[in-house]
């Protein structure tokens, strides 16, 4: 198998045997984000497909998630880091009812490596928890992540609840269940401040940089 195929396979098979040495090999020719967005994401997509086809069970998908997390943790120190003073504070959360956090945690790594102060509230974050954190932290923006179809709807509810208590800092939204269209047509009308859709973590950084400039 080629190196790319082996990297995707670690994720699909949920195994870490040989993973670190292959990641180090890949780092000789590719950047950490190229490795994540390329073979590792391809592996995750295959896991999603097999799971959808009932060829994998949740426990196996969890093993795959562990491989992805271990890979990101290994690659993190090699990512570009901006040497800047804080560009602003951003609260990140996976919305209520959703446990998927690999994408959100990647967003955290990329934003914090690029000068943002991140408050990561974790998964299954209710609007009430988010509101309490906003009152305490006074963020410059809020980032919501969600991968389930129902999470897109939960983002609308969350936006409404934030608006109801007068919070209007920019809302950055992302995750596989979302689209720009859904964001513009459904989430933005429910919120007083700007609502911006990011298709991936780097796009999220671009948006944050536009907001802070
Ligand atoms: Co779940 N899961 N899962 N799962 N899982 C999906 C999402 C699914 C599409 C798989 C499938 O059926 N094909 C499907 C959703 C169906 C739907 O609603 N449309 C699904 C399902 C059904 C479920 C359960 C309901 C299964 C069950 O229990 N029967 C259950 C739900 C539990 C819950 O949330 N209440 C469940 C559970 C799990 C695991 C726990 C086993 C595990 C998650 C582990 C973890 O996250 N700690 C898991 C996994 C791993 C997946 C897949 C295979 C991979 C997700 C992932 O980590 N991708 C996924 C299928 C898939 O996506 N191909 C699937 C890699 C990650 C880097 O990408 O998170 O998309 P992603 O992030 C991207 C962008 O979306 C974006 O940037 C990242 C890239 O740079 N982004 C943002 C994300 N958030 C952002 C925020 C931003 C900006 C950009 O700004 C704030």
């Amino acid at each position: 198998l080629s190196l790319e195929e082996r990297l995707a396979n670690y994720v699909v098979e949920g195994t870490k045997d040989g993973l670190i040495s292959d990641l180090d090999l890949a780092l000789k020719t590719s950047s950490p984000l190229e490795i994540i967005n390329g073979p590792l994401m391809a592996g995750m997509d295959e896991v999603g497909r097999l799971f959808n086809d009932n060829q994998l069970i949740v426990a196996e998908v969890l093993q795959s998630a562990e491989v992805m997390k271990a890979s990101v943790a290994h690659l993190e120190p090699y990512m570009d880091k901006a040497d800047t003073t804080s560009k602003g504070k951003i609260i990140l959360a996976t919305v209520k009812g959703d446990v998927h956090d690999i994408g959100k945690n990647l967003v955290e790594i990329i934003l914090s490596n690029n000068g943002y102060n991140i408050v990561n509230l974790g998964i299954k974050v209710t609007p009430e928890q988010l509101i309490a954190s906003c009152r305490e932290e006074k963020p410059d923006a809020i980032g919501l992540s969600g991968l389930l179809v129902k999470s897109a709807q939960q983002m609308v509810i969350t936006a409404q609840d934030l608006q109801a208590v007068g919070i209007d800092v920019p809302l950055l939204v992302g995750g596989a269940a979302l689209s720009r269209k859904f964001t513009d047509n459904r989430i933005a009308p429910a919120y007083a401040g700007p609502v911006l859709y990011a298709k991936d973590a780097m796009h999220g950084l671009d948006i944050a940089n536009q907001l802070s400039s």
Side-chain angles (χ1 to χ4, degrees), residues 76 81-82 107-118 205:
E76 214 236 273
K81 288 181 187 56
V107 173
E108 173 182 17
I109 290 171
I110 287 171
L111 288 177
S112 55
N113 279 349
N114 285 280
Y116 292 89
N117 177 3
I118 302 298
L205 173 64

Side-chain angles (χ1 to χ4, degrees), residues 91-109:
I91 293 181
L92 285 183
T94 298
V95 294
K96 182 181 169 188
D98 195 326
V99 305
H100 296 88
D101 66 355
I102 297 175
K104 169 185 63 65
N105 293 343
L106 197 56
V107 173
E108 173 182 17
I109 290 171

Side-chain angles (χ1 to χ4, degrees), residues 2-197:
S2 70
L3 178 58
E4 291 237 319
E5 287 167 335
R6 291 204 301 276
L7 288 170
N9 251 4
Y10 292 116
V11 178
V12 177
E13 303 288 333
T15 168
K16 295 180 195 163
D17 292 343
L19 171 71
I20 299 300
S21 58
D22 271 347
L23 286 173
D24 288 339
L25 204 57
L27 277 170
K28 292 190 185 343
T29 52
S30 309
S31 72
L33 276 182
E34 283 167 346
I35 301 169
I36 293 170
N37 291 332
L40 298 178
M41 279 299 266
M44 261 313 190
D45 285 344
E46 178 64 3
V47 169
R49 194 189 65 74
L50 291 170
F51 180 58
N52 219 11
D53 259 16
N54 295 319
Q55 293 189 51
L56 288 180
I57 56 169
V58 171
E60 290 167 318
V61 181
L62 262 178
Q63 298 274 85
S64 299
E66 286 306 316
V67 173
M68 188 73 169
K69 286 189 175 194
S71 305
V72 172
H74 184 72
L75 295 171
E76 214 236 273
Y78 301 95
M79 289 186 192
D80 292 337
K81 288 181 187 56
D83 198 12
T84 57
T85 52
S86 179
K87 291 195 216 159
K89 189 190 270 188
I90 302 181
I91 293 181
L92 285 183
T94 298
V95 294
K96 182 181 169 188
D98 195 326
V99 305
H100 296 88
D101 66 355
I102 297 175
K104 169 185 63 65
N105 293 343
L106 197 56
V107 173
E108 173 182 17
I109 290 171
I110 287 171
L111 288 177
S112 55
N113 279 349
N114 285 280
Y116 292 89
N117 177 3
I118 302 298
V119 180
N120 189 341
L121 298 183
I123 58 172
K124 297 201 278 185
V125 177
T126 63
E128 295 72 28
Q129 288 171 301
L130 203 56
I131 290 166
S133 178
C134 281
R135 287 185 170 145
E136 198 182 317
E137 303 286 351
K138 311 215 176 333
D140 299 293
I142 301 168
L144 298 178
S145 178
L147 267 73
L148 302 171
V149 166
K150 68 173 186 184
S151 301
Q153 191 53 43
Q154 182 58 45
M155 285 196 197
V156 177
I157 296 168
T158 305
Q160 280 166 345
D161 289 353
L162 290 170
Q163 182 182 36
V165 297
I167 293 169
D168 62 359
V169 294
L171 203 55
L172 179 64
V173 295
L178 273 189
S179 64
R180 183 183 301 278
K181 200 171 154 204
F182 185 89
T183 304
D184 293 347
N185 294 345
R186 300 290 310 283
I187 308 178
Y191 191 65
V195 183
L196 303 135
Y197 167 73

